[in-house]
Amino acid sequence: MLLEDMISAMGSKILLMFRKTQVAASKPFCCLALLIMIFQNHGLTAGAAWANVRQKRVFAVARQLSRSSLFAFDGMKILENRLAKLDNSAPDTLGGFFDENLASFAVQPGAVRLSVTSTCFAIQAIVASSRIYADKVEFDLNCKKSVSGPLNDAKIPLRDVVDALLRADWRDEDLFQVSLILDTVLGLDQELNRCELQALDEQMASKIERLIAALLDARPKRREGKYQNLSFYLMFRSSQALLRLRAAINRGKSSKLINQNRSDAVICVGGLGSLPLSQLPVNTLPDMSISFSRYIEVSYDELCRQLAYRSAGDGASFDVIRLAYSLLTYVTVSNGVEGTAGYEVEPGEGPVPGTSVKPPNQKLVKAALDALFAEQQSDGLWVKGQPIYQSFRRTGRQVGNAFVFATDMVASLLGSLPADYFRPHMDNLERLISWIEDHQSVEMIVEYCDASEGGQCYGRQINGWASPHLGPNATPEAWSTAQTLFCITRMRDIVSKLMHTDVLNEFSGTSLAENGRNLKAWERLLDTDVGDPADEECRTLKDILKTRVLDPFTVTPGVAGESSLACYPGPGAAYSAILFGPPGTAKSTICESVAEYMGWDFLVIDTSAFLADGLTNVASRIRYVFERLQSLENCIILFDEIEEFCLDRETPGLGMESRMLTTAMLTAINDLRRAKRSIFFLATNRLRAFDAAIIRPGRFDMQLFVGTPNLSARCIQFQQRIAALQLDSDVANEANEKYYNFMKHAWLNDAMFMNYLEGAQFASACANIVASAGGVELLTDEAMSSILQKQVSVMTVRGQVRDEYIASMGLSRF
């Protein structure tokens, strides 16, 4: 048999297998499958197709074909696990470069002076992955190691690090250091949601003013065209610092952060203190506006220029680093100031119409991203490109740290563009991950040598990365290690977001996070009593959920409050709860309202999700579903009436299959709870049907009875209908009072057992009496009692259901 025929037969079988099983195929398999499709679709001979496959353009198509399989859920999960392993080791890795004597991060251990660059990049990496560093870093900016307090000596004191950074010697003309410092210290307040209102001391305030003045003086000049004094890397860094400053100023104005000793608004600086806006350099706000306009204009021009060079095949003029950082500057500044007023042609005339900042051109952005990743080398990196300091080309200084490290560039891209933009480039990111895994190096730092033992030396081991531009024998350095760890964190975030989106779409979830928090749905939700309403200590469902779920995950400290990480749940946080009660008590609505209040996505899993592969495959389907649910983050998950998969194993006559399903569900729920990535609820009308192991503490933090709306909620229903009648205030108040008194009297007998719709019908009937010719005088106890009795005869909660309702009222735990 000819080689071509063998390939054809093999490829056909592989393609058929792939289509049937939907399993992830390797790249060689996908190439063979592609070859067969070329035969079938284009009528090429085997020899001609084989020649085409050898060409790079066909392999590019093969890679595109394989992305859907290689980076489906299983492939993405493997990628996430690789990143998690690197990310989880970050505290020890980066901590090895911390110097207690300098209260900062040294380029290499044993340095005699503070490294501004290393310290800034280290702080950014730490804050970006704050949960990972919780045991290694003291994030409370009130804590200083130099004073007694709650600080654990084993932790790195972030306040001391920031203080040392701001007091270090740095040069105003070094825009790299200037932009890094300002971006880092102002970003700290925004990331940690912390502001210290006490004024900065005079020395610190003067330094911040110098930083801002230096940035404003360094804006791009239109007259210099493509020959700007600063590299595009430094332009990007400077623009980010100005965006941070703008956000700090806006925050100071909108939050009315008033300094203790002054009357004007302030900006917060690294949790160390505040600087009044009046102390900023003269014309800061108008100069910032002009700077942003210039950054957008210059970066847009350069972005188009670089794409044109590449399209024309002008390799001598094309520079991938200029492409990357013109793209970054264009996107971040355009997004940061989008919609703001444009510029004035005549002073005092106001902004010229049509000059307001527009959002970035998304087609251009995607084209630039495609071009950037197409230039990636086989080892996962990129060519050196434009140096950070342009003058180095003229003076001949070509040292490695004068060039952009690829991990720094990719981290900036990942933090500036939507996660979905990177879906076509997951193989490129995987290539960079492989380089990171293969190039982590170890160095032994000698701390002392013992002459009595023949000169035996002792020390400690540090792990990290060195920029490849430093040469093959370079040892780990703090700045390149921090940049790499920052990149790892952001790649992990991107992979998690893509997996989250895929799972949400697979199970038809609702994406609420993109709209932000919506408090109205929660405010409209009618409350219910959890327990016996006759008990004075009876709490309401909304009160419990707010205390255990909403506040711990959404409330962050006030401006002058205790410092804490916004991403950390507060004390008493509950990750899971069983909502049980009779039908029609809005259990699903409650969960969706929680999601809207928190600004989290919402997903409902019902029996159909577990039966999708048939009755015989429920156990494997449970594993499939829960494996995907564990990849969700910041999502409210509702398991709606899944009792059949959690039946009590002690029930007589229960089959072996049902017992095994319950066991499988026990493990799955336990793993989901331990992941602590989302909050999940189980809604049921039959709590007693569940296996005891399902409902015991550990898997579900709370067990809440969801009854009918309480007395206050009933009165709200009536008040809303009375308000719609637009009655005189005295008449409306009288009607509301009569309704309240009647409901209070009849509450424990029948009124409390009406569900939401039944209560709404009763309130409407009573409001109709008030709206009649007789008015409020006809709204008597007898009239309302007659309406209630008619309602009682058909209400949902009656007979045995009522008995079960009363018995369930005392089963809550919270």
Side-chain angles (χ1 to χ4, degrees):
M1 183 181 290
L2 294 176
L3 175 63
E4 292 89 341
D5 294 332
M6 293 175 62
I7 294 173
S8 176
M10 236 168 97
S12 298
K13 290 180 180 179
I14 292 168
L15 184 61
L16 181 63
M17 178 190 71
F18 176 71
R19 286 173 174 169
K20 281 185 176 181
T21 61
Q22 296 296 307
V23 297
S26 68
K27 284 185 178 179
F29 281 11
C30 287
C31 288
L32 286 169
L34 175 67
L35 182 62
I36 303 309
M37 284 191 287
I38 291 175
F39 291 165
Q40 296 172 344
N41 296 337
H42 299 284
L44 296 177
T45 65
W50 186 242
N52 282 334
V53 167
R54 290 175 179 173
Q55 298 180 24
K56 183 178 178 181
R57 60 186 178 85
V58 178
F59 279 114
V61 177
R63 284 198 301 272
Q64 186 71 28
L65 176 69
S66 68
R67 281 167 184 152
S68 60
S69 55
L70 286 173
F71 295 105
F73 181 85
D74 291 337
M76 296 284 270
K77 189 66 180 177
I78 292 172
L79 210 58
E80 186 190 40
N81 290 338
R82 290 168 63 186
L83 290 166
K85 182 179 179 181
L86 292 165
D87 202 18
N88 291 335
S89 65
D92 291 332
T93 301
L94 193 56
F97 293 92
F98 181 71
D99 190 309
E100 292 186 6
N101 296 323
L102 298 175
S104 65
F105 291 84
V107 176
Q108 290 182 329
V112 295
R113 64 182 181 86
L114 180 147
S115 169
V116 170
T117 305
S118 296
T119 301
C120 285
F121 281 124
I123 292 174
Q124 292 180 10
I126 288 169
V127 174
S129 190
S130 50
R131 289 188 181 184
I132 300 295
Y133 289 91
D135 295 330
K136 191 74 174 181
V137 176
E138 178 53 68
F139 286 94
D140 189 346
L141 298 176
N142 286 325
C143 287
K144 294 187 68 176
K145 195 167 185 179
S146 56
V147 297
S148 59
L151 179 61
N152 182 348
D153 287 337
K155 290 186 176 183
I156 296 172
L158 190 58
R159 180 188 174 93
D160 283 1
V161 176
V162 177
D163 188 82
L165 175 64
L166 285 174
R167 298 186 188 281
D169 293 328
W170 40 265
R171 303 184 307 277
D172 293 20
E173 65 274 13
D174 188 342
L175 263 294
F176 192 12
Q177 291 189 349
V178 166
S179 57
L180 264 182
I181 293 172
L182 199 60
D183 186 25
T184 301
V185 297
L186 294 182
L188 227 99
D189 297 297
Q190 295 170 34
E191 297 291 343
L192 303 186
N193 198 42
R194 170 70 186 171
C195 183
E196 175 58 58
L197 291 182
Q198 183 177 356
L200 290 169
D201 62 49
E202 188 174 340
Q203 178 192 8
M204 197 80 76
S206 175
K207 288 204 166 195
I208 296 298
E209 292 170 37
R210 285 169 49 204
L211 286 169
I212 296 171
L215 275 180
L216 294 173
D217 289 342
R219 70 170 180 258
K221 306 297 189 296
R222 180 182 288 170
R223 63 179 177 272
E224 293 172 356
K226 67 178 182 179
Y227 301 106
Q228 298 291 323
N229 288 329
L230 295 179
S231 68
F232 277 87
Y233 178 84
L234 286 185
M235 277 197 276
F236 169 69
R237 285 292 171 194
S238 300
S239 68
Q240 300 313 290
L242 280 183
L243 286 172
R244 287 286 194 191
L245 177 61
R246 181 178 184 271
I249 291 173
N250 289 340
R251 182 187 181 209
K253 289 180 176 179
S254 62
S255 302
K256 298 180 180 178
L257 306 178
I258 305 301
N259 188 277
Q260 295 173 352
N261 303 317
R262 301 176 184 272
S263 59
D264 57 346
V266 300
I267 61 171
C268 302
V269 182
L272 301 179
S274 57
L275 181 71
L277 297 186
S278 59
Q279 287 188 230
L280 296 178
V282 178
N283 294 326
T284 291
L285 296 180
D287 284 351
M288 282 176 58
S289 179
I290 296 174
S291 295
F292 289 137
S293 177
R294 294 292 182 271
Y295 278 121
I296 294 173
E297 182 179 332
V298 171
S299 61
Y300 176 80
D301 288 347
E302 183 65 19
L303 178 59
C304 295
R305 186 179 297 114
Q306 291 300 323
L307 287 174
Y309 286 148
R310 186 174 185 275
S311 178
D314 185 357
S317 300
F318 175 73
D319 188 306
V320 69
I321 299 302
R322 293 169 74 102
L323 172 71
Y325 283 98
S326 59
L327 168 64
L328 281 164
T329 306
Y330 170 61
V331 168
T332 54
V333 179
S334 297
N335 285 332
V337 297
E338 178 189 346
T340 57
Y343 53 83
E344 291 183 327
V345 175
E346 296 292 336
E349 294 292 328
V352 176
T355 62
S356 61
V357 178
K358 296 179 175 60
N361 184 318
Q362 298 306 316
K363 290 184 178 179
L364 180 65
V365 170
K366 291 180 180 179
L369 199 61
D370 289 344
L372 178 68
F373 280 113
E375 293 296 321
Q376 187 183 32
Q377 300 177 125
S378 59
D379 62 355
L381 303 181
W382 284 260
V383 296
K384 289 193 294 189
Q386 185 185 43
I388 294 174
Y389 298 96
Q390 292 202 98
S391 61
F392 289 172
R393 283 204 186 276
R394 295 193 293 268
T395 61
R397 185 183 174 193
Q398 297 288 311
V399 294
N401 57 4
F403 295 93
V404 175
F405 188 13
T407 57
D408 186 18
M409 178 184 74
V410 173
S412 298
L413 288 166
L414 294 170
S416 304
L417 297 171
D420 206 52
Y421 280 27
F422 296 93
R423 194 182 291 277
H425 307 294
M426 292 308 299
D427 52 346
N428 298 93
L429 295 181
E430 191 277 335
R431 204 178 302 162
L432 178 59
I433 294 170
S434 295
W435 184 92
I436 291 172
E437 291 171 330
D438 295 341
H439 290 80
Q440 184 174 15
S441 57
V442 179
E443 183 184 9
M444 183 63 68
I445 303 299
V446 176
E447 294 181 329
Y448 73 95
C449 295
D450 192 339
S452 63
E453 297 183 11
Q456 178 68 42
C457 296
Y458 299 89
R460 59 190 177 92
Q461 177 179 294
I462 62 167
N463 303 311
W465 289 266
S467 170
H469 306 317
L470 293 172
N473 299 320
T475 56
E477 294 190 345
W479 63 271
S480 48
T481 298
Q483 288 178 348
T484 303
L485 293 174
F486 192 21
C487 183
I488 290 167
T489 297
R490 285 196 161 167
M491 281 197 284
R492 189 180 181 186
D493 289 343
I494 289 293
V495 172
S496 296
K497 287 177 181 177
L498 292 177
M499 292 173 65
H500 178 102
T501 300
D502 290 345
V503 172
L504 205 65
N505 291 337
E506 180 179 358
F507 295 107
S508 302
T510 305
S511 180
L512 300 174
E514 59 188 22
N515 299 324
R517 296 178 61 190
N518 178 15
L519 309 186
K520 293 183 179 178
W522 177 259
E523 293 167 355
R524 290 194 303 266
L525 189 67
L526 296 180
D527 211 350
T528 181
D529 293 322
V530 179
D532 187 351
D535 187 346
E536 293 183 357
E537 296 184 358
C538 177
R539 295 180 63 184
T540 69
L541 181 68
K542 290 179 70 174
D543 175 50
I544 294 170
L545 288 176
K546 195 168 190 310
T547 303
R548 296 292 309 278
V549 177
L550 302 184
D551 287 351
F553 288 93
T554 58
V555 172
T556 52
V559 178
E562 290 299 314
S563 176
S564 178
L565 288 172
C567 62
Y568 277 7
Y575 287 88
S576 58
I578 296 176
L579 304 180
F580 68 99
T585 51
K587 291 183 281 291
S588 299
T589 304
I590 290 168
C591 296
E592 189 167 6
S593 299
V594 168
E596 291 192 49
Y597 183 99
M598 299 176 69
W600 289 17
D601 292 333
F602 180 59
L603 177 62
V604 178
I605 299 293
D606 55 21
T607 54
S608 64
F610 300 112
L611 296 174
D613 293 339
L615 285 171
T616 58
N617 297 307
V618 173
S620 62
R621 184 67 182 178
I622 288 175
R623 290 192 297 271
Y624 176 93
V625 171
F626 274 89
E627 185 180 35
R628 280 150 180 76
L629 295 182
Q630 285 187 53
S631 69
L632 295 173
E633 191 157 14
N634 293 352
C635 184
I636 301 297
I637 305 169
L638 170 62
F639 296 101
D640 194 16
E641 299 185 3
I642 59 169
E643 297 93 327
E644 295 304 320
F645 308 113
C646 310
L647 294 175
D648 188 352
R649 289 169 293 182
E650 300 299 322
T651 302
L654 190 67
M656 179 59 70
E657 289 184 358
S658 293
R659 297 174 194 271
M660 296 300 293
L661 290 181
T662 298
T663 302
M665 191 64 80
L666 282 170
T667 303
I669 291 175
N670 187 57
D671 291 343
L672 184 61
R673 170 62 182 82
R674 291 172 62 186
K676 292 185 177 181
R677 300 184 67 171
S678 293
I679 297 171
F680 60 97
F681 294 89
L682 191 157
T684 179
N685 303 329
R686 300 186 294 146
L687 179 66
R688 299 177 192 275
F690 281 93
D691 190 271
I694 290 281
I695 61 178
R696 72 164 59 107
R699 290 181 174 85
F700 289 95
D701 301 320
M702 299 187 294
Q703 183 174 295
L704 302 173
F705 176 67
V706 183
T708 55
N710 60 17
L711 180 57
S712 298
R714 306 288 190 187
C715 293
I716 291 173
Q717 285 181 314
F718 182 73
Q719 290 166 9
Q720 291 172 343
R721 286 153 179 79
I722 289 297
L725 299 176
Q726 297 182 341
L727 302 172
D728 181 79
S729 60
D730 292 338
V731 175
N733 290 337
E734 183 181 354
N736 289 330
E737 185 177 359
K738 283 188 172 184
Y739 187 86
Y740 171 77
N741 290 332
F742 172 78
M743 292 294 286
K744 185 178 180 180
H745 176 74
W747 187 249
L748 295 178
N749 295 325
D750 293 309
M752 69 175 287
F753 298 107
M754 291 187 289
N755 63 24
Y756 173 81
L757 291 176
E758 293 161 352
Q761 292 171 354
F762 177 76
S764 295
C766 294
N768 290 338
I769 294 177
V770 179
S772 66
V776 73
E777 299 297 330
L778 297 181
L779 189 65
T780 62
D781 288 351
E782 291 76 12
M784 288 186 281
S785 179
S786 175
I787 298 172
L788 179 60
Q789 290 309 309
K790 293 178 182 178
Q791 194 79 60
V792 167
S793 62
V794 295
M795 68 170 48
T796 303
V797 184
R798 67 181 192 276
Q800 292 184 349
V801 177
R802 182 176 295 190
D803 294 338
E804 178 67 20
Y805 183 103
I806 295 172
S808 299
M809 289 168 58
L811 297 180
S812 296
R813 57 172 175 80
F814 47 85

